[in-house]
């Protein structure tokens, strides 16, 4: 599903960029300040999105796939980071661990 971001995207205040991302995709704010709206998620029976304000040098990492909206609060430059650079080996998720326990493949 990932739509690759160009090397650098420049945004003027008030401009927005919408891009489809996979879980673990990252966005670096190379210059300026932006607002990032996460892909929609379910909480019980309610759909919600999380909003974060990022300044120069900060990185947004998408927890799950979907559409991300990046809005410039000042003249800004944003850069998509290669997924391999942002995904570090992690412990299995709680759900994966539960499945392992249920099927008898506990590690």
């Amino acid at each position: 599903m990932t739509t690759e971001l160009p090397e650098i995207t420049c945004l003027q205040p008030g401009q927005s960029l919408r891009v489809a991302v996979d879980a673990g995709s990252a966005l670096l704010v190379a210059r300026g300040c932006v607002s990032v709206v996460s892909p929609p998620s379910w909480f019980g029976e309610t759909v919600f999105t999380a909003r974060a304000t990022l300044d120069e040098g900060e990185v947004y990492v998408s927890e799950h796939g979907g559409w991300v909206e990046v809005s410039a609060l000042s003249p800004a430059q944003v850069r998509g980071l290669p997924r391999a650079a942002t995904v570090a080996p992690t412990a299995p998720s709680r759900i994966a661990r539960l499945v392992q326990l249920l099927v008898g493949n506990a590690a």
Side-chain angles (χ1 to χ4, degrees):
M1 170 197 332
T2 301
T3 300
E4 294 295 326
L5 289 173
E7 179 80 18
I8 292 182
T9 300
C10 296
L11 298 169
Q12 294 302 315
Q15 286 186 317
S16 295
L17 169 69
R18 289 182 186 91
V19 62
V21 298
D22 290 325
S25 296
L27 178 78
L28 168 69
V29 180
R31 182 174 63 94
C33 182
V34 299
S35 170
V36 179
V37 178
S38 71
S41 298
W42 285 96
F43 183 73
E45 295 181 12
T46 304
V47 175
F48 73 96
T49 57
R51 181 179 301 268
T53 300
L54 302 176
D55 292 313
E56 187 172 318
E58 294 184 313
V59 175
Y60 167 80
V61 179
S62 180
E63 291 184 22
H64 55 277
W67 287 92
V68 172
E69 180 178 328
V70 181
S71 300
L73 302 175
S74 69
Q77 291 181 343
V78 294
R79 173 185 298 194
L81 297 176
R83 192 159 186 265
T86 61
V87 178
T90 60
S93 70
R94 291 180 181 171
I95 294 172
R97 180 70 178 135
L98 176 62
V99 170
Q100 287 176 342
L101 292 171
L102 291 174
V103 297
N105 295 335

CSV table of all heavy atoms in Angstrom, one decimal, residues 28 45 56:
chain,number,residue,atom,x,y,z
A,28,LEU,N,10.5,12.4,8.3
A,28,LEU,CA,11.4,13.3,9.0
A,28,LEU,C,11.0,14.8,8.7
A,28,LEU,O,10.9,15.1,7.5
A,28,LEU,CB,12.8,13.1,8.6
A,28,LEU,CG,13.9,14.1,9.1
A,28,LEU,CD1,14.0,14.1,10.6
A,28,LEU,CD2,15.2,13.9,8.4
A,45,GLU,N,-16.2,1.2,19.4
A,45,GLU,CA,-17.0,1.4,18.2
A,45,GLU,C,-16.8,2.8,17.7
A,45,GLU,O,-17.6,3.3,16.9
A,45,GLU,CB,-18.5,1.2,18.6
A,45,GLU,CG,-18.8,-0.3,19.0
A,45,GLU,CD,-20.2,-0.5,19.3
A,45,GLU,OE1,-21.1,0.4,19.1
A,45,GLU,OE2,-20.5,-1.6,19.9
A,56,GLU,N,11.3,20.9,13.5
A,56,GLU,CA,12.5,20.5,12.7
A,56,GLU,C,13.3,19.4,13.5
A,56,GLU,O,13.5,19.5,14.7
A,56,GLU,CB,13.3,21.7,12.5
A,56,GLU,CG,14.5,21.5,11.6
A,56,GLU,CD,15.2,22.8,11.2
A,56,GLU,OE1,14.5,23.8,11.0
A,56,GLU,OE2,16.4,22.8,11.3
